[in-house]
Structures are given as structure tokens and as C-alpha cells.
Amino acid sequence: MEKRDRITPGEFAGKVYGTVRQIPKGRVSTYGQIALLSGYPRAARAVGNALHNNPDGDLTPCYRVVSSSGRLSEAFVFGGVNVQKDKLESDGIPVHNMRVDLKQYMWQPFTVLSKKSKRT
DNA sequence: CGATTGACTGACC
DNA sequence: AGGTCAGCCAATC
């Protein structure tokens, strides 16, 4: 672990990067989810800002991070949305019209599976 | 140190 | 279903 004692991009940002790196392949996450897992349930914006800070890039799969609607970012810095889309598809995540199926691909660290009895 | 912004989100119309 | 308003948080100017 490198000790970036002199440069601290913000403890928050560091956690964000770590969380983003924890996103398994073939899965995506939202800024809000990242913020929540990082310990900041309301810092979705700050997350976006942190990622826009252009992190380690290859080290931080920010392309797996999408908006709450599963939409890709338009202002993607490292190439453009098309690149992000290509990366997502490379992970096995089909992208349709700049969007992904969060219902299927949103990263869920907790086994959700709230099976409800079908009724009416 | 104060004000503004920004890759966001949820609510309201 | 899509567009607008307001709220939240950290980083930057």
C-alpha cells in the first residue's frame, strides 16, 4: 500500500475508489450505492465528483458505475460513453441506448432475493 | 475561509 | 413517462 500521506484526495474519495474496485465483473453499481457502501449514503454527488477527478483509471473501473436509472455518464472523461459501453459489454453487460438493466446487473453485495408470494 | 460547481437522487408536475 | 425543483456532500476556485 502506498502511503500517500502527503497527498490525500480526501478520505471519502479513497473509500469510493476502493468500493468501485470491489464491483465484480459483469455487474454495475450506482453512485448512490457506491456512496452508501463507502459510508456516505447521501454523497452520491461527491462520488461522481471523485470519479471525475480521473482516478487510477484502469485501477478503478468507474465505467461500472452508472446513474440510478442505469444510464451511462455523458461526460465520461476517459474516452466517451461509447468506450464505457464497450467496456460494459466486454464485462458481459448488454447496453441498450446508453442504459443497462439495473434490475439484472446492479451490484448487490447483499443477497437480496426478497421472494414475495405472487398474488392477484 | 466562503461561495460555486458537479459523472447524483428522489419527489413533484 | 419525461422534465423540473430542491436537497446533500465533498472538492475546487
Side-chain angles (χ1 to χ4, degrees):
Chain A
M1 303 28 164
E2 287 121 295
K3 61 319 195 55
R4 43 189 69 139
D5 36 84
R6 80 174 65 167
I7 55 156
T8 318
E11 199 174 84
F12 158 80
K15 289 190 176 185
V16 170
Y17 300 147
T19 306
V20 174
R21 286 180 48 193
Q22 288 168 66
I23 304 175
K25 183 180 173 187
R27 218 116 247 163
V28 297
S29 186
T30 66
Y31 297 97
Q33 191 69 56
I34 297 298
L36 181 68
L37 296 172
S38 301
Y40 301 79
R42 302 296 175 206
R45 269 184 167 164
V47 172
N49 266 345
L51 292 179
H52 188 211
N53 193 71
N54 203 13
D56 304 79
D58 301 297
L59 182 64
T60 309
C62 36
Y63 64 86
R64 287 183 190 154
V65 186
V66 297
S67 60
S68 60
S69 302
R71 236 240 315 256
L72 280 58
S73 299
E74 303 176 22
F76 225 80
V77 187
F78 67 90
V81 188
N82 42 26
V83 177
Q84 183 178 11
K85 179 177 145 201
D86 181 63
K87 288 175 175 295
L88 288 173
E89 292 189 316
S90 187
D91 272 1
I93 304 172
V95 181
H96 304 295
N97 190 22
M98 226 158 99
R99 285 189 37 179
V100 301
D101 268 303
L102 284 182
K103 299 185 102 62
Q104 278 182 101
Y105 300 103
M106 181 162 55
W107 176 40
Q108 294 172 176
F110 305 96
T111 314
V112 183
L113 244 3
S114 300
K115 289 304 210 49
K116 293 183 96 127
S117 306
K118 62 299 217 42
R119 51 186 297 280
T120 29

